[in-house]
Structures are given as C-alpha cells and as structure tokens.
Amino acid sequence: MLKNIAAVCLLAFAITPALAQGEKPEKVLKIISSLPRTGSANAQTTTMVNGIQLAIDEVNGKVGDYTIVYEDMDDASPQRGNWDPAVEAQNANKAARDESVIAYIGTFNSGASKISMPVLNKAGLLMISPAATYPGLTKPGKGEANEPKIYRPTGKINFFRVVPADDLQGFVAAEWAKDMGVKKVYILDDRELYGKGIANVFENHAKELGIEVLGREGIDPKASNFKSLATKIKAAAPDMVYFGGTTQNSAGQIAKDLHTANATPKFMVPDGCFEKAFIEAAGAENVNGSAYITFGGLPADKLTGRGAEFRANYKKKYNLKENEEPEGYAVYGYEACKVLLDAIPKAKTKDRAGILQAVSETKNYNGALGIWSFDENGDTTNTTMSGNTVENGEFKFVKALGK
Amino acid sequence: MIVSQAAVSESVAPVAMGWGDVLSQQLITGVSNGMIIAMIAIGYTMVYGIIELINFAHGDLCTLGSFLALTLVGALGMEAWAGMGGTAAVVTLLISSAVFCGALNWTIDRVAYRPLRGKPKLALLVSAIGCSFILVNIALFWGGLPMEVFGGGNQAAAPKDFPSLISNENLLGAKSAITVTWRDLFVVIVTVPLMIGLTWLVKSTRLGKAMRAVAQNPTAAALMGIDVNRVIGSTFLIGGALGGFASVIYALYNNTISFQMGYRTGMDAFTAAVLGGIGSLPGAVVGGIVIGLVRALSDGYIEARWTNSVVFGILILTLVFRPSGILGAKLREKV
Amino acid sequence: MSAAPMWKKLLRVDVALLILACLLPVVDQRWHLDMVDPMRGVMVFAILALGLNIVTGFTGLLHLGMAAFMAIGAYAFAISSCDIYPFQLNFWWAILFTAIVGAFAGVLLGAPTLGLRGDYLAIVTLGFGEITQDVLKNLDVITKGTQGINPLPSPHVPWWTATGFGMLEFTSEQELPWYWLFLGFVVVAVVVCRNLERSRTGRSWLAVREDELAARCMGIAPVPVKMIAFATGAALAAVSGGLWVSMYSSTGEPGNYDFQVSILALCIVIVGGMGSINGVLIGSIAMLGIANIALPKIASVMQSAGWVNSGSVFGSPNNWKYLVFGLVLVVMMRVRPDGLLPAKLSIVNAKKKNAVEPAP
C-alpha cells in the first residue's frame, strides 16, 4: 500500500512541472496563438504560424520599448488528432490569467472560437482570428437568434477577424458560377461547421440566381474514396460540382474521383482548399483547368504594396524557390499579427484595454490584404475575393470577385 | 497537359447513364472497394483467430506500406517506367511493401505483444492502441521527407498524391456508359490469387495446421511440440504481408494516401472481419465485399451522410440475428 | 488485511487523492502551475471512465462506444437547458434528466445486443458510437448539427452567493467553483461505484465477468445483470458529458465525441487497472495528465528555450505528441500489464491467484 501511495504522489508531482516563474522582465507584450498543431490541420496552421512569426521578425520583435514575445500554442490533443475543447479552454484560460498577454491569435476552427470567445471577452483580451469564418461569431442575424450576443458577455467586442466570413465567400462563389454559365450544380459538403456553412450559403444564393441544384450530399471526410458518389453525380450530369470543405477533408480525393469518373467539367471549392497541398493531393492532371477556387483576398503574386513586401519577405525567410508562393493561409496569419503590431504604437496605454481599443479603431489599414477596416462587428471590410483556377499544376488568378 | 485538355473537352458531353448502368457501376465500385477492405480484414481476422487481439495498429501498418510504396515510386522514378516496366513497377511495389509490412508487423508482435502473452487480454489491446499512435506519428514524419513525391516535405500532414501507375482507360471503350478500368481488374487480379493462396496455406501446410492448432488451444498445441511463439510470429508476418499488398492496391486504386488513412480503412476492415465472423478467412472476404457493396449502394441510393450508419446498422442487425457473423463458426465456450 | 496496522489502513489511495485534490488549488495559486484548469477535464474524464469501469472492469464487457453516451449526455443536457429550446431546465434538473436519458440509451443499446458474446459486443458498441455521430451531425433541426449548441447554463447554488462566496461565480473563466463542483461529482461517483461493487448487483457483475456459465448455474441471469451495468455506466458517461459541456457552455461539435474519446476512456480504465476504482482515478490523472498537461507544458518550455524549428516536421514538439502518447501506452502495459493499481480487494481475484492460469 505504501508503495502505491508513493506511486500516487510521484505521479501527481511528475506531472506538476515545477517551473519556477521567472522574473518578469518589464515591458514585455505577449502574443499567443491557439491553433490546431497536432493532426491533419497542421499543414495549414504551420503556414499561419510562419506568417505570424514573419510579422514579428519584421519589427525585430520590438515595438517601441516593448519586446514582443510570441507563443505558438496547440489547441489540439494527440488523443483527438483535432481541436480539443479541453485544450482550447485551457489555452484561453491561461492567456486570460497571464497579465502580459495582450492578444490571442486564433482560432482556426469556429467551434473552438465559440468556447474561448466568452472567456477572453470577460478578460478583455483581444482576439484576432486568421481562419474562423462562421458568420454567427460576429454578425447578428446570420446565425442563431442569440448569436453573437452570447459570445460577448460584457457587451464589448473583442473578437476580430481578418478573413471575410463564409456568408460572403459562398455568395460570391455562386455569382461566379453564374457568370461562368453554370446552369445545374451538385453540392457536396464535409459536414463540418466551415464546409457545411459555406455550402449552405452557396446553395441558397445559387437558387436565387436560378441555378438548378441537382443534389446536396454530406460526405464522410475519412472515406477512402468517393467513386460511388462520383457515379451518382455523373448520372445527374451537373455543369459543376461545388464542395464546401478543406483539403484535409478529402477535397483532393473528390476532385480525383470526379475527374476519373468523368462526372463533371467544373469543380469549385472555397479557400479551405487554396493551398498547394490541394493540387498535390488531387494530382495536377485532375484539376488543371477544371478546378475553381475562391479565396478571401488576392493570391500572393497579385498583391501590391505591403502585400508584395510580405510576399518577398516570406519567400526569403522560408527559403521558397523562385516558382513557389506563400500559401493562402500564410497571409491571413501575417495580417492578423501585423494589424496588431501596427496598432500597438497607437494605443494610449500599452495594456490589454488600450491595445484592444487601438485595434478596434483600425480604419483604412494598409495591409497585405489591401486597404481595409474593422467594421462595427469586428469583421474586416475587405470584400475583395479572388477567383482562381489551376493551370500546369499551379494556381492561376482568374479575376477579382466582390459583392 | 494535353491529356487533361482532351479529358476536359471529352467530359463536356458525358455519356448518359441509364439506371441499369448506374447500378452496374456502383456494384463494380463496391466490389473493388470491398476486395481491398477484405485484404486488410484478413490481417485482423488472422491475428484475432490466434490470439484474440483486435489489432488496432493494423490499419496504420497499411498506411506505412503505402508510404513505402510512394517513396519507392519517387526514388526509382517509376512514373517513367513505360510498357512492361509499368507492370514491373507494380510488382516491385507489391513485393517490397509486403515484405516491409510483414517484417514490421512481426517486429511489433515481438516488441509490444509477445511480452504480454498470458497477461490480461485488454492490456494487449491497449498496447495495440499505443502502437497505432506510434505508427501514425511515423507516417507523419515520413510524409515530411524532402522528396518530390511528398510535395517537397513542406507539409507533412497534407494528403499525398500517388501517381497513376495503372491506366485509367475504360476497357469497354470510351463510348460505354459503364467504366471498367485496369484498376478495377487489378484489384481483382491481385487479391483473388492471394486469397486462394492463403486458404491453401492455412488448410494444407504444416504451418497452417500449426496455426489452427494454436488457435484452438495454445497449451495443447505447445504440448504437442508446436513452437507457439513462432507460429504466432508467422501469423503476424503473413497478416502484415497481406496488409502490405493491400496498402499498395489501396494506393494504386485511390491514388491518395495520408498519414491518418489507417483510421477508416482499419475500422472498415475490422467491421468486415466481424461481420463475416471473426477468425474465419472466407468470412473476412465475404464481410469485406458486403461492406464495400453496402457503402457503394448507400452512397448511390440513400445519402452519403448516412452511409456509416447504414453500414453499422446492418452490422448490428446481422449480429442480432446471427450472433457470430455471416460465416462465423458457432462460438466455442472457453471455460 | 485485518492484520495491517491502523496507520496503513488510514493510508488509502482514495483518501490520499482527495487530500491532494483539496491541496491542489492552494499549491496552484501559490506557484502558478495552471493545473486546476486542466484538472477539471481530468475529473470529467474520471467520471466517464468510472462509468466504463462498471461495464468493462466489473462486468468484463469490452465497450468501444463510451463516447456515444457522453455525446448523448452532452446533447441531452444542452437541449434540456439551452435557451433556444423550449425546456430550459436549470443545471441540476438538466443533469438529472441527462442521467436518465443516458441510462435509457444504455438500455436501448443493450436490450437487443447483450446476448452477444465477447468482442462481437465490442463492435456493436463501436457501431453505436458511429451511428450516434451521424445522427448528431445530420439531424440539424434538433441538434444544430455541426454548429453545436450554446450557451449552456451554469449551476446556480442558492446559498453559495448568499454566504459571501460571491467571488466564486460559476462562469466559464472562473475555474475554482467548477473544480470543487466536479470534485464533488467525482466523490459521489466513487461512492456510488464502491457501494455498487459491494452490493448484490456488483457481486453478480464480477461473477458474470469471471465465469458466465458458473454465474448462470448459481442463479444469476446474465442479461439483466449486464443490462444494469450498461445502464449505470451509460448514466455516468452521460453525466460526464453534461458536466463537460456545461463547463464550456457549448457542446462544441459532434466530432468531439468520436471513437478517439471512447479509446481514451478505455485506455484510462486499463492503464489504471481494470475493475479498480482507485485505479481509474489514477489512470485518468496519468493519461490526461500526459496528453493535456505535460505535453503542452513541454512544448511550451521547448518553445521558450528556442528549440523549436517550425520549418521541419521533426522540429516541432507538436509533431511528436502521437509518438509519445503511444509509447507511454506501450511501455505502461509492458511494465504494468495489470494496470497501475490493479483491483485486489475482491474475493474473486484473491482466489484466482491459486487457480490454474487458463490458456491465453
């Protein structure tokens, strides 16, 4: 029995890292990002973290007299392989308690935002998301009746996003489809918050535009292939297939199976697939000239001004080859951090409240994604979307889309 | 590039499919998918038959087999092997993955399972779960190798395209509404002889008899002079090798591999093994094909979002009425 | 046992754990360990694992779908209490309702399938987990699909605020009230399990586990006995689900209750020691402690030391988490195949030592 007690104590203390809290140096501002770093989302979040890191390195980790400290936190756990509510809540609570933290960049999944938003709202901590695009997080009337009130217990807005929400992207995607002369569309989604939401918006607007919706299916993103679905779609003979979902949820496999079955001439996906990995997963020959990708901003090589600077710096820092471009998500991560860093000098007091105030007053910000402001809900006013296709295994910009 | 342009212009006027065509196409897809599931299911059922372990690591073992195959494709430049070279490439992949997975499975048994013989059954299960996590992580690292086929290794976690070494041309002619490709045939051509061979091995060879003896009663088998550990080791070796074959077939048929793909393939295969009657080789094959067909038909005629429910619903119903699976032997009481 | 001196009797694992649990907030406050927060999750999983322990540990039925009952509990709690639905029960009634729904779901699954033997039952429970996932995702009208349901109510304790504990409001960023509440639930769950184990029902569970045939000969009807185990386990799992979502004020998404959660619960029970209540407690501290406390801490320390190179797949500690977690499982089983704290109080186990080891 004594041995057991000893084992218990040992266990309890083994997992208690006796980290003596070091002397807090003055004038440190801490930025935390909470993104899923374990599991399949790792590919996208790595580029986001690279973007964040670049923004900090560009100012040499200093704003005025303040040293910027950045911590890349993981909101996924190995046993889940995906974002974990427990870990996300843990991260948010940790950030809220640590007085030196002035901003929380995240989350990647909108579901995770729902958990951390009320916590950080009460802590008065600024939250900038590079990827959570569920409209109900910020926009009244777009989600449930009680949204977004429930995420703002104090009534103040602390959640901002540099990416346009899904209600915009699904909307312009439908318009673009109409422009391309699509008359009949088949819609798929990955049955996750992002993919399903964007497919819903697409479906509604497509119907308004008079595009016939032949069918709507939710897929199992883990299925080994979608050949039987491709057959079903082929029999329905649509002009285009729209898939609301991400690369990690089998967008590549779907493109491949649709192409192999000769099921559709056009395949459209949202920005969750605007990454090189999508083309690599699908195989260039399956998406060349047939895949259409919408993205909330311009692709890196079309950026001008600060965007072009970002592109050059990013390519240099991460040793990209001449023909390689920063991933779509990198610029979101970069912009989220950059808008924060640029707001710090304007803050009257360099604490949470001051910096939150300064960021919320961002107007006509000249950033990598263009010139934009945060609106009254905390959303970006940037409505520039781009339509892209694939040519020779590379993304090719087709045109700017907008409301 | 030229090929894909042609494909696009061709697809502008797709051949119209009647309901009979659609049904046949779904059945073809179902059987092909089912055969792959069956191959993996055999690995589960063999191990289960002999040590009553649900080997959770088996699906992830197959993942590694696919990653090895992709590495070889990249390292040896197999995409350029034309004509008979293509066949040689496929055979090379099949054999090397089979050897690799067999050896790896044997090693896992030696390191993680063998020390637990005679210990509680569930300890073995947790050890298998642990191995599954380790294999997933190895696959993640593997995907980060700086090779062209892995997208330069920048995005380890992203799904990887597996080059089409097998033609996707319709054997029934471009005009036909139904598509049967070399890939569908390939699945059948490889799996059927392997299954026949395996059945022969288990039924007629000394090793096979020893396996069955150990499955019946390890203590008695040991008393009769059978080296039980060696027989169990061989079972893992053979089951792993079949998983290796399956992993290459999977990769060539689906053309995408990812470090987490073992989850669904493993679960499907395990379900197939149980549906057919766990421990029974023909049962695993039947179970695999049934699941492949049910998946295809559910995707085609119900709704894809309910497919998993349909598969497991059928499984539960089958077990309620036939408590030891379709072909399972009546469970013997182990007192 | 009777020969043991008094002080040894007093040194009980559960008491030691309780004392440690009571001390933790103080220690945590003093040294800023950030442990109280993740411990809440550990306690929720401890309740889930206690439920599984009844099914797998006591009754010997391999259950691979515990997450489904957690999900059913989470959604039952959410639907009965969230203000977008008409019921709007308060926390306590909602938890009670959740437990009832959980038990009912357990019976529903058990009724047709408990006649199945061994691992056939395991796959049925696995399938049930998958079906539950699909239902939660697809029936948006009721479950809000992938959106999740929020906000969810926190417990309201009438005398709590009145007695001057006003600072301890149950809000999502205040961890201490939750900590104490969950500790209370764990204590209740442990007491319930312990009493059940020693009751007539509990002894029939063990009898069925050890030898179903012999149990039947002794007049125990296995199916109803298993059914009670199933229902009790499911009720505990459902309560854990209800507590879990109440703490986050959101159900998250259905994917949060997938097969991996069932597997985690199973690992907790087996690593802790099958059929041992104290073992389950230790197991949940060990498993979640490693996955949710130690690994992030190590990652964070490595990052502040500048050892992280996000450019390479090997450079980031996050990419090693699966490997570490898997190795821990394999090594633990190798070192302690019976679990960290194997059950040893039961008469059955004591007798088994002398029995001939059956063929593996």
Side-chain angles (χ1 to χ4, degrees):
Chain A
M1 196 50 124
L2 200 60
K3 216 173 110 193
N4 288 334
I5 307 258
V8 171
C9 297
L10 220 103
L11 244 164
F13 289 110
I15 55 175
T16 308
L19 291 173
Q21 211 71 348
E23 288 290 302
K24 245 184 231 163
E26 284 302 305
K27 304 224 164 191
V28 162
L29 299 177
K30 196 165 175 189
I31 300 173
I32 279 180
S33 73
S34 177
L35 304 165
R37 312 283 287 127
T38 309
S40 54
N42 172 284
Q44 288 100 320
T45 55
T46 300
T47 60
M48 278 184 196
V49 169
N50 284 348
I52 296 170
Q53 197 70 58
L54 174 66
I56 296 170
D57 287 1
E58 277 181 6
V59 296
N60 293 320
K62 272 196 160 330
V63 176
D65 310 335
Y66 290 88
T67 309
I68 305 290
V69 175
Y70 166 60
E71 186 176 350
D72 161 23
M73 286 169 103
D74 185 1
D75 74 353
S77 59
Q79 72 273 21
R80 293 270 309 104
N82 205 336
W83 77 273
D84 183 327
V87 185
E88 175 61 28
Q90 227 167 287
N91 290 351
N93 282 322
K94 196 174 167 212
R97 271 197 302 274
D98 185 347
E99 289 295 328
S100 60
V101 174
I102 47 103
Y104 188 88
I105 298 179
T107 61
F108 183 76
N109 306 81
S110 299
S113 283
K114 288 180 167 194
I115 286 171
S116 48
M117 273 171 83
V119 176
L120 298 178
N121 185 274
K122 285 190 206 159
L125 181 56
L126 168 71
M127 193 174 173
I128 307 178
S129 172
T133 46
Y134 171 64
L137 293 178
T138 55
K139 302 185 178 186
K142 297 276 182 185
E144 293 297 318
N146 55 7
E147 288 175 334
K149 257 198 339 276
I150 48 174
Y151 306 119
R152 301 168 182 156
T154 63
K156 284 192 177 157
I157 289 174
N158 72 317
F159 178 86
F160 299 89
R161 47 184 167 196
V162 294
V163 297
D166 296 338
D167 56 337
L168 275 173
Q169 206 187 132
F171 189 90
V172 296
E175 306 245 297
W176 192 25
K178 178 83 183 166
D179 283 353
M180 286 192 287
V182 171
K183 295 200 173 55
K184 294 178 290 179
V185 67
Y186 206 102
I187 301 174
L188 305 176
D189 69 71
D190 62 0
R191 294 200 293 159
E192 288 195 1
L193 193 52
Y194 163 78
K196 193 168 178 186
I198 209 161
N200 282 346
V201 176
F202 181 90
E203 182 175 358
N204 291 339
H205 195 55
K207 282 178 182 158
E208 282 164 19
L209 292 172
I211 301 175
E212 189 188 347
V213 177
L214 298 175
R216 172 77 191 265
E217 293 268 359
I219 62 148
D220 169 13
K222 291 193 181 105
S224 55
N225 61 45
F226 302 92
K227 290 182 199 285
S228 39
L229 210 51
T231 305
K232 190 178 187 178
I233 292 171
K234 186 182 179 186
D239 302 332
M240 189 180 93
V241 170
Y242 185 83
F243 172 61
T246 59
T247 314
Q248 42 168 321
N249 282 344
S250 293
Q253 185 74 52
I254 295 172
K256 194 173 283 177
D257 290 337
L258 288 175
H259 185 83
T260 315
N262 217 349
T264 174
K266 292 188 175 72
F267 180 59
M268 191 186 274
V269 285
D271 63 349
C273 303
F274 191 63
E275 51 175 343
K276 195 87 203 306
F278 167 64
I279 301 176
E280 273 158 16
E285 70 276 14
N286 296 313
V287 284
N288 276 336
S290 63
Y292 298 86
I293 305 100
T294 55
F295 175 64
L298 295 174
D301 56 339
K302 290 285 176 289
L303 295 172
T304 52
R306 292 205 35 193
E309 276 170 41
F310 154 76
R311 176 180 172 232
N313 290 345
Y314 190 96
K315 288 178 79 158
K316 194 163 145 234
K317 180 167 162 64
Y318 297 104
N319 300 324
L320 298 193
K321 294 193 200 80
E322 195 54 45
N323 58 350
E324 285 178 323
E325 293 296 330
E327 297 287 354
Y329 282 102
V331 68
Y332 289 151
Y334 173 84
E335 193 81 332
C337 189
K338 196 72 181 172
V339 68
L340 162 71
L341 295 176
D342 285 348
I344 294 176
K346 290 183 214 141
K348 291 192 190 72
T349 52
K350 313 291 186 216
D351 57 6
R352 282 184 187 178
I355 290 166
L356 174 57
Q357 186 65 27
V359 168
S360 68
E361 282 164 1
T362 300
K363 285 282 169 295
N364 298 323
Y365 176 70
N366 182 7
L369 289 169
I371 294 177
W372 53 271
S373 314
F374 281 127
D375 70 7
E376 71 280 6
N377 295 322
D379 272 308
T380 170
T381 55
N382 193 357
T383 53
T384 316
M385 299 263 175
S386 59
N388 304 276
T389 182
V390 182
E391 215 176 84
N392 293 327
E394 302 284 340
F395 285 115
K396 183 170 172 283
F397 176 72
V398 179
K399 63 183 209 167
L401 309 168
K403 219 167 186 177
Chain B
M1 193 55 213
I2 296 156
V3 178
S4 69
Q5 290 273 313
V8 169
S9 54
E10 191 182 87
S11 61
V12 172
V15 195
M17 291 178 92
W19 70 269
D21 300 331
V22 175
L23 180 62
S24 325
Q25 188 72 61
Q26 298 293 20
L27 294 178
I28 293 169
T29 309
V31 170
S32 302
N33 273 327
M35 287 293 219
I36 299 176
I37 296 174
M39 285 285 282
I40 304 175
I42 289 175
Y44 275 94
T45 223
M46 283 180 75
V47 166
Y48 189 90
I50 204 154
I51 55 170
E52 294 197 350
L53 162 71
I54 303 169
N55 185 5
F56 271 104
H58 194 69
D60 302 304
L61 181 83
C62 297
T63 309
L64 288 191
S66 309
F67 273 80
L68 176 81
L70 184 54
T71 313
L72 288 178
V73 169
L76 304 179
M78 284 185 181
E79 279 176 90
W81 296 14
M84 278 314 284
T87 317
V90 171
V91 172
T92 315
L93 291 182
L94 282 171
I95 292 174
S96 33
S97 277
V99 170
F100 171 73
C101 287
L104 184 59
N105 212 23
W106 183 86
T107 315
I108 292 174
D109 171 54
R110 185 71 192 75
V111 176
Y113 304 155
R114 190 151 134 193
L116 297 178
R117 302 266 154 80
K119 297 281 164 25
K121 211 176 94 185
L122 289 181
L124 205 56
L125 186 72
V126 168
S127 199
I129 294 170
C131 290
S132 152
F133 277 112
I134 296 173
L135 294 180
V136 164
N137 210 142
I138 293 174
L140 174 67
F141 286 152
W142 202 327
L145 289 184
M147 288 180 68
E148 191 63 30
V149 282
F150 292 119
N154 291 326
Q155 298 209 336
K160 317 286 177 200
D161 179 48
F162 199 97
S164 317
L165 296 181
I166 297 178
S167 155
N168 211 14
E169 198 185 330
N170 191 350
L171 296 175
L172 304 178
K175 288 267 157 60
S176 164
I178 305 174
T179 317
V180 179
T181 64
W182 270 112
R183 288 181 206 192
D184 297 299
L185 284 189
F186 165 73
V187 173
V188 179
I189 290 172
V190 180
T191 49
V192 170
L194 280 172
M195 287 167 188
I196 294 173
L198 185 72
T199 314
W200 170 78
L201 188 140
V202 172
K203 281 248 147 73
S204 314
T205 63
R206 277 182 73 84
L207 178 63
K209 285 176 184 161
M211 279 178 183
R212 284 187 289 148
V214 174
Q216 280 297 326
N217 187 336
T219 319
L223 290 174
M224 298 307 288
I226 295 174
D227 183 346
V228 173
N229 275 332
R230 207 180 65 92
V231 171
I232 296 177
S234 323
T235 311
F236 272 91
L237 189 77
I238 296 169
L242 282 170
F245 283 118
S247 71
V248 175
I249 303 171
Y250 178 100
L252 287 170
Y253 185 69
N254 295 322
N255 294 113
T256 316
I257 60 174
S258 90
F259 78 106
Q260 286 175 316
M261 72 190 207
Y263 175 77
R264 176 62 71 209
T265 41
M267 195 182 268
D268 273 349
F270 173 47
T271 313
V274 175
L275 185 67
I278 194 153
S280 144
L281 289 183
V285 177
V286 171
I289 293 173
V290 167
I291 290 204
L293 284 174
V294 168
R295 279 199 170 277
L297 295 178
S298 164
D299 277 358
Y301 296 98
I302 305 177
E303 270 187 280
R305 61 188 184 139
W306 289 109
T307 295
N308 270 333
S309 298
V310 171
V311 168
F312 285 105
I314 286 180
L315 175 86
I316 293 177
L317 280 182
T318 312
L319 290 184
V320 167
F321 293 107
R322 280 193 67 90
S324 27
I326 302 175
L327 294 185
K330 196 168 176 294
L331 268 182
R332 53 187 193 283
E333 299 263 331
K334 272 201 172 179
V335 189
Chain C
M1 280 308 276
S2 55
M6 193 63 196
W7 64 271
K8 269 198 174 174
K9 270 191 181 170
L10 283 173
L11 269 180
R12 291 169 37 154
V13 179
D14 43 2
V15 176
L17 277 178
L18 187 61
I19 294 172
L20 281 180
C22 291
L23 288 178
L24 180 69
V26 183
V27 179
D28 188 83
Q29 199 90 37
R30 172 67 185 76
W31 283 285
H32 302 284
L33 301 177
D34 287 327
M35 292 269 293
V36 167
D37 187 11
M39 277 308 286
R40 299 182 301 175
V42 172
M43 292 195 280
V44 170
F45 268 85
I47 298 174
L48 175 70
L50 282 171
L52 181 62
N53 187 44
I54 292 180
V55 181
T56 304
F58 293 162
T59 322
L61 307 169
L62 179 55
H63 195 313
L64 296 175
M66 221 48 192
F69 295 111
M70 191 181 180
I72 288 171
Y75 276 85
F77 181 86
I79 290 172
S80 65
S81 67
C82 180
D83 60 10
I84 53 175
Y85 293 96
F87 314 102
Q88 302 182 10
L89 302 179
N90 75 23
F91 174 86
W92 301 103
W93 286 114
I95 281 286
L96 186 66
F97 174 72
T98 299
I100 295 167
V101 170
F104 183 71
V107 172
L108 203 70
L109 171 64
T113 58
L114 277 176
L116 291 175
R117 310 225 20 182
D119 294 339
Y120 286 98
L121 181 66
I123 185 120
V124 165
T125 54
L126 185 155
F128 181 72
E130 292 293 303
I131 294 176
T132 308
Q133 281 273 307
D134 267 1
V135 170
L136 291 179
K137 275 190 185 165
N138 294 345
L139 291 184
D140 324 38
V141 193
I142 304 167
T143 63
K144 302 283 165 206
T146 50
Q147 269 184 34
I149 303 171
N150 50 350
L152 303 178
S154 313
H156 175 66
V157 187
W159 43 265
W160 195 290
T161 25
T163 47
F165 282 100
M167 53 176 201
L168 295 179
E169 286 287 338
F170 281 97
T171 52
S172 43
E173 79 284 0
Q174 290 272 21
E175 51 201 34
L176 273 180
W178 294 103
Y179 181 85
W180 295 117
L181 176 78
F182 289 177
L183 188 58
F185 269 96
V186 172
V187 170
V188 172
V190 167
V191 170
V192 168
C193 286
R194 185 146 293 159
N195 286 334
L196 276 174
E197 187 189 8
R198 290 171 186 162
S199 71
R200 191 186 162 80
T201 321
R203 281 176 284 130
S204 2
W205 287 339
L206 300 188
V208 167
R209 176 187 74 187
E210 291 302 319
D211 194 328
E212 195 170 328
L213 198 65
R216 205 179 304 183
C217 296
M218 299 304 289
I220 295 171
V223 170
V225 164
K226 288 180 186 174
M227 188 83 89
I228 297 172
F230 242 58
T232 325
L236 276 175
V239 168
S240 81
L243 296 176
W244 179 250
V245 296
S246 153
M247 171 166 66
Y248 301 127
S249 186
S250 160
T251 57
E253 55 189 30
N256 290 331
Y257 312 91
D258 65 3
F259 181 58
Q260 308 285 354
V261 173
S262 306
I263 286 294
L264 180 64
L266 187 70
C267 290
I268 289 176
V269 170
I270 295 166
V271 166
M274 254 213 338
S276 147
I277 292 171
N278 291 335
V280 169
L281 300 178
I282 300 278
S284 40
I285 296 174
M287 290 282 81
L288 286 170
I290 289 163
N292 288 4
I293 305 177
L295 288 181
K297 272 265 153 71
I298 294 169
S300 153
V301 170
M302 284 180 67
Q303 213 172 70
S304 49
W307 294 344
V308 173
N309 167 22
S310 63
S312 142
V313 63
F314 302 105
S316 163
N318 296 317
N319 286 341
W320 292 84
K321 282 183 183 170
Y322 287 116
L323 192 71
V324 175
F325 194 69
L327 273 177
V328 167
L329 289 178
V330 172
V331 171
M332 280 225 198
M333 283 301 102
R334 181 107 192 231
V335 179
R336 300 207 63 135
D338 293 308
L340 291 169
L341 267 190
K344 53 175 141 192
L345 277 174
S346 100
I347 354 161
V348 186
N349 280 331
K351 211 171 65 186
K352 206 177 154 191
K353 273 191 185 142
N354 306 324
V356 182
E357 188 65 28

